[in-house]
Each structure stands twice: as C-alpha cells, then as structure tokens.
Amino acid sequence: MDYNQVILITGGAGFIGSHVIRKMLIQYPDYLIVNLDKLTYAGNLNNLKDIENKPNYKFENIDINNEKDIQDLFEKYLFDGVIHLAAESHVDRSISNPGEFVKTNVVGTLNLLNVCRKNWVSFEDKCFYHISTDEVYGSLGETGFFHETTSYDPRSPYSASKASSDHLVRAYGHTYGLPIKISNCSNNYGSHQFPEKLIPLIINNIQNNKPLPIYGKGENVRDWLWVEDHANAIDLIFHKGRIGETYNIGGHNEWTNIDLVNLLCDIMDNRLSNPNGESRKLITYVKDRAGHDLRYAIDASKIQKELGFTPSLKFEEGLTNTVDWYLNNKKWLDNVTSGAYQNYYHQHYN
Ligand code: NAD
Ligand code: TYD
C-alpha cells in the first residue's frame, strides 16, 4: 500500500507514546506508524496489545543511543516526520542516576537529529517534533505562569537533560534549517502510567494497603493534564503547528500534592467500598525530594488561540476514569510491579 505519510514515533511503548500511537493509528489509517523503543523498565509492549497487529503499525526495538541502528532504520523507511518521545522521564531516578538521563535524553536526541539531517535530502514537508516538559522553566512561586518566552532554569538532572535536548533541537533548526517543533507540557495522568509517578503509585499503594509517601509537606503544586488531551495537542501541533515554534501545553488544573492525594483516597474508598477516610489513614509524610520544585503552571493561551486546543476532561472525571482503569487492569499493574520495581521501591522509599 502507498502510505500518505510514514511517521517515526520514538518511545511509543511508554505512557504518553502508547496513547499517541493509538490516536495516530485511529485518526490516520493512511499513515504508516513506526514505533522505535528500547523497551526500558518504562516501555511495555502490553500497552499496545490492541493495535499490534494493524498492518500500518511496525515496532522496532532500537536504542536511540545507537546512531548506526537509527541510520539503518532510516534506510529501511523513508520517514516524513519524527515525533520524539523516547526519554528517561522520572525525576527521582535522575537524582540517583543522572548519567543515564544525559545519555538518552541529550545524546540520544542528538543522534536522532543527526540522522534526520543526513537522510532528509530535502527538508520540505518534513518535521522533527520534540516532546518536552514544562520542568525546563524551573520552579514558580505562588503566582505566575510559564510562557513560551520564560527563560530556561532547569533544576533537576531530568529537567536539565530535557532543557539540553530542547536547545539542541532549536540549534539544529537555526543552524541547519531542520524543520523542528517543540512542545513543553505539564504533568500528565491517565492509563498505562508506570507506578513510580505520583498518581499510579498512590493507587497501587492503596490497593496493597501500603503507606502513601508524600514528599515534604505536600504543598508542591502541579498542573495536571489528561494524557489523551496531551495526545490531541501533539496531533494538532504535528499537523498544524508552525515550523520553528514552541507550544506550551497545560491543563489549567493546579493541585497541591496533598489535596490531590486526598481526592484520590476518596475516589478509591468509594470504588473499593471502604469506609470513608480509610485510605487517608495511609498518608505518610516522608523526606522531601532533593531540589523539589515548588510549583509548575502553564499559560497555554498560544496553543489555544493558534490551534484551538483546550483540555476536554474535568480532573475529577479523568481521575475517576484513571482509578477505574487501574482497578480493571490489575494484571498490568502486577506485571510491571514485579521484579525490578521492588528493588527500585525499596531503595528509594526506605
Ligand atoms: P515513559 O518513561 O513512560 O516512557 C519513555 C519511553 O521511552 C519508554 O517506552 C522507554 O522504553 C523509551 N526509552 C527510554 N530510553 C530509550 C532509549 N535510549 N532508546 C529508545 N527508547 C527509549 O515516559 P512518558 O511519561 O511517556 O514521557 C514521554 C515523553 O514526554 C518524555 O520525553 C518526557 O520527557 C515527556 N513528558 C512527559 C510528561 C509526563 O507527565 N509524563 C510531561 C511532559 C513531557
Ligand atoms: P511525579 O509524578 O514524580 O512528577 P514530577 O516530579 O515530574 O512533577 O511527582 C509529582 C509530585 O508528587 C511532585 O511534586 C513530587 C510528588 N511526589 C510525592 O510526594 N511522593 C511520591 O512518592 C512521588 C513519586 C512524587
């Protein structure tokens, strides 16, 4: 079959990537979608079980640190676009192992940029789209928002590595004319998120009657966005966003960690028919994260005005759907929390 476009999505077996792949396959049946993923602890092909046999979907088990393998892939497929999500993504892991983050997030991104530059004979109608985070802007005080023009001020090894990769992507745009786009999104939540991140970790711990660790006083604020809304924004930017531009994506949905965990406890009590307040008893304040950013909040007016993006789901509804997904997919959770997860958990939380 002649495909309208051949798209490379990196990190497609991860949390956000699997939602993006599913969305693209449904929305664009005339595209060939190639998923490049190393399958680290965070990558899981079970996330894509329902679509793995589609004729216009291919999986390639490749590490972006291996430039030769990426080059071979570009000789196998004539890509029109790249949506780059592959990354080490967890702040706590970056604090204990920063080198891995520099390798994948910085050098891996550089490898992809080099291969695109070398193989795309003409840049016309091509697009290298880098998926990034609002954490590159640093930390806000009690007021204000991150705008696209906010100066970079990354403060964790994770955000520093993502900031470096953003800079490289922009530099390839300016220096070589590579057609690039970047988006910086706030915290995502939804199905298939690895339970090292706050929301699935709390759901998993309540199910297992384990303490719910709250860093510091629980006063840090995050702006939460449903992962499907992020996938919608990525689709809009990839197809309609302007080359060379940056778009901030957020949920207009700020919560302190403690308020969020209390809400999750109440939803879980309701779903598990626990007495009211039962799950809240598990809340345990623990040592704060080193360099813990106080507050993230996004001004998403540019993507709203230019591309018509607004989040579709109310947080309480999205969180309830998310709880239901984890309760209905206990096998998924059991699979990913066996083995290496136990070591990580004990090392990090003891
Ligand atoms: P994730 O950790 O769930 O998934 C990352 C994926 O990348 C996994 O499938 C993993 O196997 C793959 N990967 C890791 N190293 C690789 C390598 N060297 N080569 C090839 N594949 C590799 O992450 P996520 O939460 O889905 O985040 C995806 C992207 O979105 C990341 O770039 C992250 O920085 C960005 N982002 C995430 C959030 C969030 O809230 N989760 C918010 C904004 C931006
Ligand atoms: P996380 O999901 O790791 O996302 P990020 O650090 O990228 O924002 O954490 C969200 C918030 O929850 C953050 O302020 C740290 C806090 N947190 C806890 O209080 N306890 C935990 O066990 C975890 C994992 C996070």
Side-chain angles (χ1 to χ4, degrees):
M1 172 173 170
D2 263 352
Y3 292 104
N4 193 359
Q5 287 207 39
V6 184
I7 309 294
L8 174 63
I9 297 185
T10 73
F15 165 49
I16 301 173
S18 59
H19 287 271
V20 173
I21 291 207
R22 191 170 292 102
K23 181 179 177 55
M24 289 287 178
L25 283 170
I26 292 168
Q27 200 109 332
Y28 307 100
D30 56 340
Y31 284 13
L32 177 65
I33 304 288
V34 180
N35 172 14
L36 175 167
D37 201 297
K38 179 184 174 185
L39 299 181
T40 66
Y41 76 93
N44 185 352
L45 286 180
N46 281 332
N47 294 353
L48 295 160
K49 263 261 158 298
D50 53 324
I51 54 92
E52 69 184 2
N53 292 322
K54 280 193 177 288
N56 60 331
Y57 167 74
K58 307 282 174 220
F59 173 67
E60 298 280 348
N61 187 195
I62 288 175
D63 182 343
I64 55 170
N65 289 305
N66 190 331
E67 190 172 337
K68 164 84 173 62
D69 284 356
I70 309 174
Q71 175 58 35
D72 290 347
L73 190 69
F74 271 66
E75 284 168 20
K76 188 164 161 191
Y77 299 100
L78 293 177
F79 292 115
D80 298 292
V82 176
I83 304 179
H84 174 36
L85 295 111
E88 288 292 337
S89 68
H90 191 42
V91 173
D92 292 322
R93 288 183 191 253
S94 82
I95 293 169
S96 45
N97 191 6
E100 208 51 45
F101 284 67
V102 172
K103 247 203 302 185
T104 288
N105 299 0
V106 185
V107 181
T109 301
L110 180 71
N111 290 337
L112 276 167
L113 289 165
N114 281 335
V115 173
C116 287
R117 185 183 157 222
K118 191 168 135 202
N119 287 267
W120 283 342
V121 181
S122 153
F123 289 162
E124 210 180 320
D125 297 327
K126 300 284 192 284
C127 174
F128 183 97
Y129 175 16
H130 184 227
I131 307 303
S132 191
T133 166
D134 60 353
E135 304 189 24
V136 299
Y137 298 123
S139 180
L140 291 164
E142 279 173 11
T143 56
F145 295 93
F146 295 136
H147 311 276
E148 283 82 0
T149 50
T150 301
S151 301
Y152 274 34
D153 182 22
R155 296 148 44 103
S156 74
Y158 164 65
S159 54
S161 69
K162 292 296 290 188
S164 309
S165 53
D166 286 4
H167 288 323
L168 280 169
V169 172
R170 278 195 196 97
Y172 270 59
H174 285 293
T175 310
Y176 306 112
L178 197 76
I180 62 102
K181 298 176 186 179
I182 298 178
S183 57
N184 298 85
C185 187
S186 62
N187 289 61
N188 285 212
Y189 72 95
S191 70
H192 301 91
Q193 187 170 30
F194 193 79
E196 62 189 354
K197 305 275 177 17
L198 181 68
I199 290 177
L201 183 129
I202 296 293
I203 295 172
N204 186 40
N205 284 16
I206 293 175
Q207 271 191 288
N208 293 299
N209 202 29
K210 278 168 56 175
L212 311 181
I214 308 283
Y215 297 159
K217 294 184 180 153
E219 287 168 352
N220 304 68
V221 173
R222 298 293 182 263
D223 171 1
W224 294 93
L225 179 72
W226 187 40
V227 63
E228 294 283 335
D229 280 328
H230 189 189
N232 285 341
I234 289 173
D235 173 22
L236 274 175
I237 292 168
F238 183 69
H239 287 98
K240 300 197 174 130
R242 285 178 292 143
I243 293 291
E245 290 291 315
T246 293
Y247 295 88
N248 280 354
I249 311 168
H252 308 293
N253 182 40
E254 293 182 49
W255 286 75
T256 62
N257 292 336
I258 188 61
D259 285 349
L260 165 54
V261 171
N262 277 329
L263 174 63
L264 255 183
C265 285
D266 296 348
I267 296 172
M268 287 291 284
D269 282 349
N270 174 285
R271 287 309 204 236
L272 297 172
S273 304
N274 284 339
N276 277 345
E278 185 75 2
S279 298
R280 290 190 186 206
K281 291 184 194 149
L282 294 171
I283 290 175
T284 310
Y285 290 92
V286 299
K287 187 165 173 276
D288 208 354
R289 173 186 280 172
H292 197 171
D293 288 340
L294 177 66
R295 176 172 165 259
Y296 305 141
I298 286 274
D299 168 8
S301 52
K302 177 173 171 181
I303 187 170
Q304 187 186 345
K305 279 194 205 119
E306 249 185 54
L307 304 177
F309 171 78
T310 45
S312 69
L313 208 58
K314 257 193 84 172
F315 189 50
E316 286 78 353
E317 193 188 336
L319 211 51
T320 305
N321 290 350
T322 303
V323 163
D324 287 343
W325 186 86
Y326 282 97
L327 294 179
N328 292 330
N329 289 276
K330 217 175 157 316
K331 214 165 141 207
W332 183 95
L333 207 45
D334 288 344
N335 272 341
V336 301
T337 52
S338 61
Y341 180 82
Q342 301 291 339
N343 294 339
Y344 165 76
Y345 196 89
H346 286 123
Q347 258 176 28
H348 184 66
Y349 288 98
N350 287 344

